[in-house]
């Protein structure tokens, strides 16, 4: 029997070593070097090497991933306190 896996809106990654955070959202990868850093945005379809930051051309996606970063951090904080 096949089970169906729920599709997530985004995937969140965080490094314990340097506090770097990443979100995979649609064809994009958003990166913050730290929780207070600006967000870099890369289109993984056309820029797999993540060499061209397109954040300034995509303010609506930056707004969305900022919400996801905040949600992920809130969720991690709540889980770590339980």
């Amino acid at each position: 029997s096949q089970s169906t896996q729920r599709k997530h809106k985004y995937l969140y990654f965080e490094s314990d070593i340097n506090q770097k955070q990443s979100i995979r959202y649609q064809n994009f990868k958003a990166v913050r070097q730290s929780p207070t850093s600006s967000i870099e945005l890369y289109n993984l379809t056309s820029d797999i090497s993540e060499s061209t930051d397109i954040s300034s051309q995509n303010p609506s996606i930056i707004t969305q991933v900022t919400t996801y970063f905040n949600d992920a951090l809130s969720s991690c904080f709540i889980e770590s306190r339980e």
Side-chain angles (χ1 to χ4, degrees):
S1 80
Q2 278 188 336
S3 62
T4 56
Q5 184 175 0
R6 184 175 66 122
K7 187 172 181 172
H8 299 280
K9 292 180 186 176
Y10 63 91
L11 297 175
Y12 174 78
F13 305 90
E14 183 176 318
S15 170
D16 289 337
I17 297 169
N18 60 10
Q19 294 185 323
K20 184 176 180 178
Q21 302 168 305
S22 302
I23 286 184
R24 176 70 194 262
Y25 170 65
Q26 297 177 355
N27 296 330
F28 301 98
K29 182 177 178 184
V31 178
R32 279 200 303 203
Q33 300 302 323
S34 74
T36 58
S37 298
S38 59
I39 297 172
E40 303 164 19
L41 185 68
Y42 303 97
N43 183 331
L44 296 180
T45 301
S46 60
D47 182 20
I48 194 68
S49 64
E50 301 174 24
S51 59
T52 305
D53 179 3
I54 58 170
S55 57
S56 62
Q57 297 97 334
N58 295 279
S60 63
I61 294 172
I62 293 299
T63 299
Q64 186 63 61
V65 297
T66 299
T67 301
Y68 293 154
F69 275 122
N70 293 336
D71 289 348
L73 286 174
S74 296
S75 171
C76 290
F77 181 72
I78 290 168
E79 288 177 15
S80 68
R81 293 187 58 166
E82 292 179 348

